[in-house]
Amino acid sequence: MRLVFAGTPEAAVPSLRALIDSPRHEVVAVVTRPDAPAGRGRKLLRSPVGALADEHGIEVLTPEKAGAPEFLDRLRELAPDACPVVAYGALLPQRTLDIPPHGWVNLHFSLLPAWRGAAPVQAAIRAGDEITGASTFRIVKELDAGPVYGVVTEPIAPTDTAGALLARLADSGARLLLSTMDGIEDGSLRAVPQPEDGVTYAPKVTVDDARVSFADPAVAVDRLIRAVTPDPGAWTLFRGERFKLGPVELTDETGLAPGELRVERKRVLAGTATQAVRLGEVQAQGKKRMAATDWARGTRIEQGERLS
């Protein structure tokens, strides 16, 4: 099939690579978000998906809006049979969805209808789900509500961060998306409507959402930190300044008030509403990221001081 692929971040790269390498399909163009400023020099950088397309000499389209007339005209000229989508990052109006005969087929990183929305991986970890996965479905006007072509499952490990889990799903999801395109092409695959029960939503995670409250139970603190690692990154306050937190380790220690710090020779503990957690990597304001023990060694922590 002739395909126009839509995607933007690193998590979409394995899927684009799989489709480029497939002898059964031709990626005639890629749609991605416009180049964005990055780094200290604020130079415009191509998205990871756009960069891969450039390497293979594939046309890259970067519309400000996916319903722009000039973009729609070019899409019609390209005449794709289907448009696979992975984390494109922009709304697709109905006039855009109507162009390819087989529609726009999205790879979503959850087991639909669970965790529709922008941050399904983060939501699954924070909720304590033991199993997640990826789904391919045909995009409709309602958010992530289209009929499903296929799924793959993935266990969530007790130490998984959102970044680690997403990396695994990006790889297994790429294989799922490729098999979905194959099945659509040969007519062996039909999309099945999603069940009405079990719908949950996963909105975009903001910096405010990533603030850690040590007044919560230890298991909730652990899940939140892992869910927002690496992006947008967990944080709290220490001495009135922002204090960034990497993943923590649950302990059996008790007797510390929420947020109260205890510095030991080989570990730094922080109290929660239940048992204490062992801090991993931390980053104080104006400092580099480092092990909590190294940070504590250079910081005179008074008895009773807390993360808040």
Side-chain angles (χ1 to χ4, degrees), residues 106-112 114-118 120 133-137 144:
N106 192 41
L107 171 66
H108 183 76
F109 297 117
S110 81
L111 298 176
L112 291 170
W115 304 130
R116 296 176 180 175
S135 308
T136 49
F137 70 96
D144 297 337

Side-chain angles (χ1 to χ4, degrees), residues 54-256:
D54 289 339
E55 291 177 15
H56 288 268
I58 297 171
E59 180 180 354
V60 177
L61 306 174
T62 58
E64 289 288 343
K65 294 184 178 181
E70 60 272 18
F71 169 67
L72 297 182
D73 289 343
R74 182 56 185 146
L75 191 60
R76 293 188 188 97
E77 291 172 356
L78 290 166
D81 298 302
C83 295
V85 185
V86 186
Y88 170 47
L91 294 175
L92 298 168
Q94 191 63 48
R95 58 185 177 277
T96 307
L97 297 178
D98 291 340
I99 291 177
H102 293 290
W104 294 67
V105 180
N106 192 41
L107 171 66
H108 183 76
F109 297 117
S110 81
L111 298 176
L112 291 170
W115 304 130
R116 296 176 180 175
V121 175
Q122 293 93 326
I125 291 177
R126 188 167 185 179
D129 293 354
E130 295 181 354
I131 298 290
T132 188
S135 308
T136 49
F137 70 96
R138 182 160 179 162
I139 295 178
V140 297
K141 187 175 182 180
E142 186 181 350
L143 178 66
D144 297 337
V148 173
Y149 286 103
V151 301
V152 291
T153 60
E154 180 72 33
I156 302 178
T159 57
D160 265 338
T161 63
L165 180 56
L166 180 58
R168 297 203 306 275
L169 289 171
D171 287 337
S172 60
R175 295 189 291 272
L176 171 64
L177 184 61
L178 177 58
S179 67
T180 298
M181 292 295 106
D182 291 347
I184 291 173
E185 180 196 33
D186 63 25
S188 63
L189 198 57
R190 293 289 183 272
V192 177
Q194 294 183 35
E196 295 183 2
D197 295 334
V199 175
T200 51
Y201 291 95
K204 182 179 179 179
V205 178
T206 68
V207 172
D208 287 342
D209 295 330
R211 182 174 184 176
V212 178
S213 170
F214 285 89
D216 291 336
V219 66
V221 170
D222 167 57
R223 289 175 182 172
L224 171 59
I225 294 174
R226 291 188 292 110
V228 298
T229 300
D231 184 54
W235 63 279
T236 187
L237 295 178
F238 179 68
R239 296 177 180 172
E241 295 185 326
R242 183 164 294 197
F243 188 77
K244 297 181 180 179
L245 298 160
V248 298
E249 180 182 325
L250 300 177
T251 76
D252 295 325
E253 298 287 337
T254 58
L256 290 177

